[in-house]
Amino acid sequence: ILASILSLIIYWLIRDSHRVRNLSGKYVFITGCDTGLGNSLAKWLDKRGFCVIAACATEKGSQELRSCSSLSLKTVNLNLADSNSIARAVVFVTEETAGKGLFSLVSNAEGTAPVAPTDWLRIEDFRSVLDVSLLGLIEITLKLLPLLKKAEGRVVNLINTKGLMAFVGGGYSLSKWGMEAFSDTLRIEMQHFGVKVSIVEHGFFKAGVVNSDVIEKYLLRLWNRLTPEIRDSYGEKYF
């Protein structure tokens, strides 16, 4: 048993000592770069010499990111709930990589997530999350797979650990569980092509998505649109 443990430790040390070399010319496409983790990652990789293509939901986000990055960092507007926007972004990435393929796709974007009991919600509340955090990420991954296979690259899906616990109604946990399943399946299938698929389950960050004022605003909006019967069944004290 001791020999097995020591062998695993040595294996992990050797594995983790490996570093990507010759970063110049390696293209990384990151979604959700307006703020937060995606924004920080884009800056970090840019400083280390990667060719970063950062997808932002707003023009303001794109401008602010370019203003504090090198000239090699490129931005593209992307709405993951819009197939046409996804198609335009894929064309942009294809042209930027110029036949070299895509070294990595990092999926980070998240949809707006109403936090409330399930029967306070409508189907559009689920769609508003799933269209971005699940279906949108799946669609752009599928369309970029040819470039990833060409470079024998990797897919890195950033998934909040809140999505591993179904403790609240709505599409948030559904989208995260879905991305876990999609990633696990894709990993097996892409091994044949030398493409790696990884999940990074990160923790909480100080951001609007966990701001209590934002949560209360959603709750109030949802509470006010409920039928009197549903409101009565919960009561003001519950709210």
Side-chain angles (χ1 to χ4, degrees):
I1 294 173
L2 182 59
S4 297
I5 294 173
L6 288 173
S7 298
L8 281 173
I9 292 173
I10 292 171
Y11 166 74
W12 284 331
L13 290 173
I14 293 174
R15 183 197 63 179
D16 293 346
S17 68
H18 291 175
R19 293 290 182 270
V20 177
R21 308 298 179 187
N22 302 318
L23 306 184
S24 178
K26 286 184 167 62
Y27 287 87
V28 179
F29 179 59
I30 311 170
T31 66
C33 292
D34 293 79
T35 58
L37 187 57
N39 184 277
S40 298
L41 181 61
K43 295 173 183 175
W44 190 84
L45 293 176
D46 177 54
K47 288 179 180 178
R48 277 151 185 78
F50 284 96
C51 298
V52 177
I53 305 174
C56 298
T58 64
E59 184 58 35
K60 179 182 177 183
S62 296
Q63 292 176 356
E64 290 178 351
L65 182 56
R66 288 196 302 268
S67 68
C68 56
S69 304
S70 74
L71 294 176
S72 67
L73 183 143
K74 307 295 182 182
T75 61
V76 59
N77 290 343
L78 175 63
N79 176 7
L80 284 169
D82 182 357
S83 292
N84 291 328
S85 179
I86 290 174
R88 289 192 294 270
V90 170
V91 170
F92 183 86
V93 173
T94 303
E95 292 175 348
E96 285 294 322
T97 54
K100 295 181 179 180
L102 187 60
F103 178 74
S104 181
L105 164 64
V106 182
S107 293
N108 169 62
E110 293 190 339
T112 304
V115 177
T118 298
D119 65 347
W120 292 20
L121 302 172
R122 300 171 182 171
I123 192 63
E124 55 264 29
D125 296 318
F126 287 86
R127 288 197 181 106
S128 68
V129 181
L130 297 177
D131 283 350
V132 174
S133 297
L134 180 58
L135 299 178
L137 291 182
I138 290 175
E139 182 175 357
I140 199 163
T141 301
L142 295 177
K143 290 186 175 179
L144 288 174
L145 280 179
L147 295 180
L148 290 160
K149 288 158 70 174
K150 185 179 183 65
E152 294 190 354
R154 68 282 323 276
V155 176
V156 182
N157 290 324
L158 306 182
I159 302 176
N160 196 309
T161 51
K162 288 180 288 185
L164 301 178
M165 301 172 287
F167 61 89
V168 67
Y172 193 82
S173 292
L174 288 176
S175 69
K176 301 311 171 189
W177 287 29
M179 281 305 295
E180 293 266 353
F182 175 72
S183 302
D184 290 342
T185 304
L186 189 66
R187 181 184 304 114
I188 297 169
E189 297 167 347
M190 287 295 109
Q191 284 179 349
H192 176 73
F193 301 99
V195 175
K196 299 178 177 67
V197 179
S198 301
I199 299 171
V200 177
E201 295 167 344
H202 60 82
F204 289 87
F205 290 87
K206 187 178 182 181
V209 72
V210 294
N211 187 298
S212 61
D213 292 336
V214 174
I215 295 173
E216 288 182 16
K217 182 180 178 181
Y218 269 120
L219 278 172
L220 182 60
R221 179 177 65 83
L222 295 173
W223 176 259
N224 287 335
R225 80 177 188 188
L226 292 177
T227 63
E229 291 79 12
I230 295 180
R231 276 204 300 268
D232 291 343
S233 70
Y234 282 91
E236 290 284 346
K237 184 177 181 180
Y238 180 93
F239 176 66

